Amino acid sequence: MKKTLALALLTAVVGASSAFAIEPIPGSITYNGQPSTRLEKAPIGSTVSHEFYADGHRYDEIYVIDKDRSLRLVSRSVSSDS
């Protein structure tokens, strides 16, 4: 169920304009630029999830692997850590 919802959300977000792009925040994989290692074996278009905690909140992010093997942040959800 979670994967289906994430895929539906991802599909909607990928079709959106880059004007609505989500910016990385401290803790995001791409906060200080792209990682130095490339995801060579992952299929292009596949998703990578990332979870981290900051400022009392839990962040769940979804990235898509682009054709140049870079990661593009397409979704972020925030919940309280109480």
Side-chain angles (χ1 to χ4, degrees):
M1 173 86 175
K2 266 186 162 181
K3 286 186 179 185
T4 303
L5 181 60
L7 184 58
L9 178 62
L10 176 65
T11 302
V13 171
V14 168
S17 169
S18 63
F20 299 106
I22 302 169
E23 295 297 321
I25 61 173
S28 296
I29 295 173
T30 57
Y31 179 65
N32 289 320
Q34 290 292 321
S36 58
T37 59
R38 297 283 184 204
L39 299 167
E40 296 296 328
K41 294 184 180 182
I44 293 170
S46 62
T47 60
V48 176
S49 60
H50 175 61
E51 177 183 307
F52 63 97
Y53 294 87
D55 301 323
H57 298 288
R58 187 181 98 185
Y59 295 88
D60 292 304
E61 296 180 328
I62 298 175
Y63 292 84
V64 171
I65 300 174
D66 282 334
K67 290 180 182 179
D68 64 354
R69 298 292 180 179
S70 63
L71 293 172
R72 180 171 30 102
L73 179 59
V74 294
S75 172
R76 178 185 300 126
S77 62
V78 183
S79 61
S80 178
D81 191 31
S82 344

